[in-house]
Amino acid sequence: MRDGASERGRSGGPDADTAAARRTRPTDADAAAARRARLMDALVAVVAERGFPRTTVGEVTAAAGLPASAFHAHFADLEECFLAAYERGTHVLLARTEAAYQAESSWPTAVRAGLRAALELAAADPAFARMCVIDASTAGPRVRRARLAFLARFRSFLGGPGIPRIPDEIRNAIIGGVYTMVYNHVEGDRTAELPDLADPLTDFLLAFYREGRSPASSWAAASS
C-alpha cells in the first residue's frame, strides 16, 4: 500500500513542484563556490592593473562586490587566493594545450598545435596572462613552486617515446627561451600578438631536434 503523499509526488501535484524547486535551488556549497570564484576573478583583475605587491584584500573584495569577511572565509591571505587563481587558470591552459597536442598525428605538428592553443588562450585573457607570467614570480614561495610545476608540465611535451632525445639542459634552455619571448610580449602590453609567435617559436624549438643540423647534436657529440 502506498501513502497519499507518495501518490501526490508521482502525479505531479504540489509536493512534486516543491521537490523540483528544491533540486534547482542553489545550495550553500554552490553559493560558496560562486563567491570563491568571484574573489579569484577579482584578484586577477586587480593584480593585472596594480601588480601583486600593491594589491590589497580591500581592493579585491571591492572588485568582487563582497565584504572582507567573505575573503577571509575562503582564503588565509592574498598569496593563497593568488595560488588558487593561478592553479585554476593554468589547469585550463594545460588542458587546452594537451587536447590540441593529442589531436595531431605527428609530433612536430602536435608541438605547433599545442603551443598555438596555449598562446591563443593567453591572448584571449590578458589579465590572467599578466598575472601568470609577470606576477607569479612575486607572489610568494607557494606560487613560485606552482610556477615551476607548471613549466615542468610543458617540458613533458618535449620528451617521450618517438621523440628525439636531447640533453635536459638544452630542453630547459628551450623552454626558458620560449617563456622569455612570451614574458616580453606580456610585459610590453603586446599580449594580443602572442598567437603570432606560434610559428616562429615552434620553428625555434624544433630546430634543436633536427638530427644532423641541431645545436643539440653538436653539444651532445662534444660532451660524449
Side-chain angles (χ1 to χ4, degrees):
M1 183 176 179
R2 286 175 280 192
D3 61 51
S6 296
E7 289 297 328
R8 286 194 300 274
R10 289 188 180 87
S11 65
D15 287 351
D17 293 340
T18 301
R22 190 180 300 118
R23 285 194 298 271
T24 59
R25 185 182 304 147
T27 65
D28 290 344
D30 293 334
R35 287 192 295 271
R36 180 180 171 89
R38 282 171 63 185
L39 288 163
M40 287 190 284
D41 290 341
L43 179 127
V44 171
V46 174
V47 166
E49 181 180 347
R50 296 182 53 79
F52 182 75
R54 292 182 296 279
T55 295
T56 67
V57 170
E59 289 167 334
V60 172
T61 55
L66 293 169
S69 59
F71 182 93
H72 295 296
H74 293 282
F75 305 106
D77 52 28
L78 283 169
E79 182 185 349
E80 186 174 297
C81 185
F82 190 110
L83 178 63
Y86 181 88
E87 290 183 333
R88 179 188 65 173
T90 54
H91 175 79
V92 172
L93 190 144
L94 284 167
R96 295 274 187 90
T97 300
E98 186 163 8
Y101 180 93
Q102 296 293 345
E104 299 296 330
S105 58
S106 71
W107 180 69
T109 57
V111 169
R112 193 177 303 274
L115 185 55
R116 181 175 296 280
L119 294 172
E120 287 177 348
L121 188 60
D125 193 345
F128 170 73
R130 189 164 192 88
M131 186 195 92
C132 181
V133 174
I134 306 296
D135 288 284
S137 60
T138 66
R142 287 176 293 175
V143 177
R144 286 195 291 272
R145 287 193 293 270
R147 174 178 168 273
L148 291 175
F150 168 66
L151 292 176
R153 286 286 304 276
F154 270 101
R155 192 171 76 167
S156 69
F157 294 120
L158 304 181
I163 299 174
R165 296 186 61 183
I166 64 173
D168 287 344
E169 292 84 353
I170 297 295
R171 188 165 54 176
N172 290 340
I174 294 168
I175 293 171
V178 171
Y179 190 85
T180 298
M181 286 293 294
V182 172
Y183 185 102
N184 290 342
H185 271 63
V186 175
E187 186 181 42
D189 292 326
R190 299 169 59 197
T191 305
E193 299 174 22
L194 285 176
D196 296 339
L197 296 178
D199 287 337
L201 285 181
T202 302
D203 292 341
F204 160 78
L205 187 157
L206 294 177
F208 289 86
Y209 287 84
R210 294 195 180 101
E211 186 177 357
R213 298 173 53 198
S214 166
S217 300
S218 301
W219 188 93
S223 301
S224 60

